[in-house]
Amino acid sequence: MVDALGVAVVGFGWMGRVHTQAYARVRHHYPRLALRPQLVTVAEEVPGRAEEAADQFGFAAVTRDWREVVADPRVRAVSITAPNFLHREIGVAMAEAGKHIWIEKPVGLTPQDARAVADAVAEAGVQGTVGFNYRNAPAVETARDLIAAGEIGAVTHVRIRLFSDYAAHPDGALSWRFERERGGSGVLGDLASHGADLARFLLGDIASLTADTAVFVPERARPSGATAGHSRAAGGALGPVENEDYVNCLLRFASGARGVLEACRVSVGEQNNYGFEVHGTKGAVFWDFRRMNELRVSRGTTYQDQPVGTVYVGPGDGEFGAFQPGAANAMGYDDLKVVEAYRFLRSVAEGIPYGATLTDAVHSATVLEAMTRSAQSGSWVDVHP
């Protein structure tokens, strides 16, 4: 017997659309899933967006006030894809109302915000999944398994990069993402939060770090209306960019390994250049999001001049088999969110967390806060989980 699970999506920008599409697809890829998501309500304050979403995806109801979702007994699970400054208030309210939450990173503006949501989820006994989607790539999970099995020896150092040009255009609109009050940190919360999660997912806790940040596009035009995605607003009144475009960070892991994490949202010529290089005493493993289903691996006993080979992940790796029948058939970004939806719904069905949780969000937020402190002081700082 498959139970229906009433779900709502709060915030219908690009990520709200991605979550909704994942709900629509999840049982196509996971037909044995014990829950069938039913789209009950979409909440979006921008006029017309919720109605368009309901027409396209079949939500039963629309609202401009997310508080109506809190009071709706039909809704048992909620995707929170609203701007960062709303995460804490919405997340806590939904959890206290007994609703399971799938919330996008960085879960608020501060570690305190993330902890507040985590505490509310724990106290209510509901499930909380967080949108660290890159860890869901089968190649990333395979890399983690290789590292844990000692296939590349003891890890010595890692380099994690997240370079994008989404904010490189000088006419990019001064949306909430560039404001400290509504967006919190800039590229730290947007991209480096993924890097911090990947670092811990692959190699364990970060013990200390030192970071440097910069703003390279100091002013942007204020938009005349609601923005979507990475809108442009040429000719509008200029306002200041209040959070960082770039971060470079040196890491020391609890294991003794060293690392570099670098992220930038204004990298001209870079489109989603995300990935990592992990080196060990016997080998190395490399992953590039733009070739998401491949790993480059070096392992053996020759050490010097040791070759690097390409491994194509297949049905035996992570969740690949739910999407493709054989290696080298590509998965894409939206598939990672379907995996995330599956793990969220499985968590709800079984009462056991699968995938990234609020605990992971707190760890990531703590690392980001340490980066901010280090950039301000110019010194090494300890990371306290």
Side-chain angles (χ1 to χ4, degrees):
M1 181 69 177
V2 177
D3 292 331
L5 181 76
V7 301
V9 176
V10 176
F12 205 81
W14 169 62
M15 189 51 66
R17 179 177 295 271
V18 172
H19 276 228
T20 303
Q21 291 170 170
Y23 285 129
R25 293 177 53 200
V26 66
R27 294 197 74 250
H28 298 170
H29 298 279
Y30 298 95
R32 294 182 179 84
L33 185 63
L35 293 173
R36 181 179 71 255
Q38 277 189 340
L39 300 178
V40 175
T41 305
V42 55
E44 170 56 62
E45 66 176 11
V46 176
R49 275 193 191 169
E51 289 77 9
E52 291 177 6
D55 182 63
Q56 182 175 3
F57 294 102
F59 286 96
V62 302
T63 181
R64 293 181 63 183
D65 185 354
W66 60 264
R67 293 168 185 82
E68 293 185 10
V69 176
V70 176
D72 191 339
R74 298 174 299 171
V75 175
R76 295 170 54 202
V78 182
S79 277
I80 301 172
T81 53
N84 299 347
F85 74 100
L86 293 170
H87 286 183
R88 177 174 182 165
E89 183 181 9
I90 298 174
V92 169
M94 295 300 176
E96 289 179 344
K99 302 182 192 301
H100 308 281
I101 63 172
W102 174 14
I103 186 168
E104 275 305 313
K105 56 80 201 170
V107 187
L109 306 181
T110 65
Q112 291 74 27
D113 286 349
R115 287 192 188 96
V117 180
D119 289 346
V121 164
E123 186 172 345
V126 296
Q127 296 298 315
T129 293
V130 179
F132 289 125
N133 41 263
Y134 298 110
R135 62 156 62 191
N136 297 328
V140 172
E141 295 185 318
T142 299
R144 186 195 195 200
D145 291 343
L146 289 173
I147 293 165
E151 292 288 324
I152 64 170
V155 173
T156 54
H157 59 283
V158 59
R159 182 183 298 272
I160 299 173
R161 68 187 185 282
L162 299 110
F163 299 146
S164 180
D165 65 356
Y166 71 79
H169 201 291
D171 291 338
L174 189 69
S175 69
W176 62 267
R177 292 185 180 278
F178 301 99
E179 298 175 357
R180 185 70 65 181
E181 184 177 350
R182 294 195 297 165
S185 59
V187 78
L188 283 179
D190 194 18
L191 296 181
S193 60
H194 284 297
D197 181 66
L198 283 173
R200 181 168 168 267
F201 183 70
L202 293 169
L203 303 181
D205 287 338
I206 297 168
S208 60
L209 57 81
T210 184
D212 180 42
T213 62
V215 177
F216 296 131
V217 184
E219 291 185 318
R220 296 182 181 275
R222 299 186 186 279
S224 58
T227 59
H230 307 300
S231 304
R232 297 181 188 174
L238 294 178
V241 171
E242 298 174 349
N243 50 35
E244 71 288 335
D245 290 326
Y246 171 84
V247 62
N248 184 34
C249 185
L250 300 180
L251 309 170
R252 292 174 179 162
F253 290 85
S255 67
R258 298 298 196 261
V260 177
L261 193 163
E262 191 177 14
C264 186
R265 64 189 180 186
V266 296
S267 297
V268 175
E270 300 282 15
Q271 296 85 42
N272 297 337
N273 182 358
Y274 309 153
F276 55 75
E277 306 153 14
V278 183
H279 293 266
T281 54
K282 297 194 300 182
V285 59
F286 311 86
W287 180 70
D288 186 329
F289 168 67
R290 297 164 301 178
R291 303 180 72 89
M292 192 177 84
N293 305 289
E294 301 176 19
L295 276 180
R296 296 179 66 239
V297 181
S298 177
R299 51 188 166 181
T301 57
T302 58
Y303 301 100
Q304 188 175 4
D305 300 326
Q306 186 163 282
V308 178
T310 299
V311 176
Y312 297 97
V313 293
D317 299 304
E319 297 292 336
F320 188 93
F323 297 85
Q324 299 293 352
N329 289 288
M331 287 176 63
Y333 175 86
D334 282 11
D335 295 332
L336 301 183
K337 301 307 275 192
V338 175
V339 173
E340 208 163 272
Y342 163 67
R343 289 175 173 168
F344 173 50
L345 295 170
R346 186 179 178 190
S347 298
V348 173
E350 299 180 21
I352 301 170
Y354 292 94
T357 67
L358 269 302
T359 298
D360 298 307
V362 171
H363 277 279
S364 177
T366 301
V367 171
L368 301 186
E369 190 269 339
M371 289 182 189
T372 300
R373 287 191 287 118
S374 175
Q376 292 170 344
S377 67
S379 61
W380 281 88
V381 300
D382 292 334
V383 178
H384 301 289

